[in-house]
Amino acid sequence: MSNLNIRITPKIKKQMDKLEINWEEYIQKMIEQKIVEEKRRYAAQTMDAIKKDQTWGLMPSSLCKTGSLRLKRLYLMQALQ
């Protein structure tokens, strides 16, 4: 595992110590949630860009030739897993 150091004020540390919370576990879960949220945001932006590139539901010929649309979709599916 990697370490992540953060600085907090003494006031916040005192307040944290009063609570019976596993802060390490809590912060790990929050980071994992943020990663999922950002992956979804990126996927939505990419899908919007793909949709914008399409004309009347058809793939632009440039994307058909290069296959980049297929690669984008594959990447999105992997990012969401």
Side-chain angles (χ1 to χ4, degrees):
M1 279 193 148
S2 297
N3 290 327
L4 174 67
N5 296 318
I6 62 168
R7 294 179 189 257
I8 56 173
T9 64
K11 181 180 177 181
I12 292 174
K13 177 64 174 147
K14 284 181 185 178
Q15 292 174 350
M16 289 172 64
D17 289 342
K18 291 179 183 178
L19 302 172
E20 293 183 18
I21 295 175
N22 181 340
W23 291 104
E24 180 181 343
E25 182 181 317
Y26 173 78
I27 291 169
Q28 285 179 4
K29 286 181 182 179
M30 295 304 295
I31 291 171
E32 288 172 359
Q33 287 177 3
K34 186 63 174 176
I35 290 169
V36 169
E37 179 184 314
E38 289 299 311
K39 283 182 177 182
R40 288 180 179 159
R41 184 183 61 78
Y42 176 77
Q45 288 176 343
T46 304
M47 289 189 309
D48 288 345
I50 291 170
K51 186 176 179 182
K52 185 178 178 182
D53 286 345
Q54 294 178 346
T55 306
W56 300 101
L58 302 173
M59 285 188 279
S61 59
S62 62
L63 291 177
C64 290
K65 290 177 185 172
T66 62
S68 63
L69 179 62
R70 186 175 299 155
L71 291 174
K72 286 180 186 177
R73 286 183 177 157
L74 177 63
Y75 176 78
L76 289 174
M77 294 305 296
Q78 290 174 347
L80 291 174
Q81 292 179 352

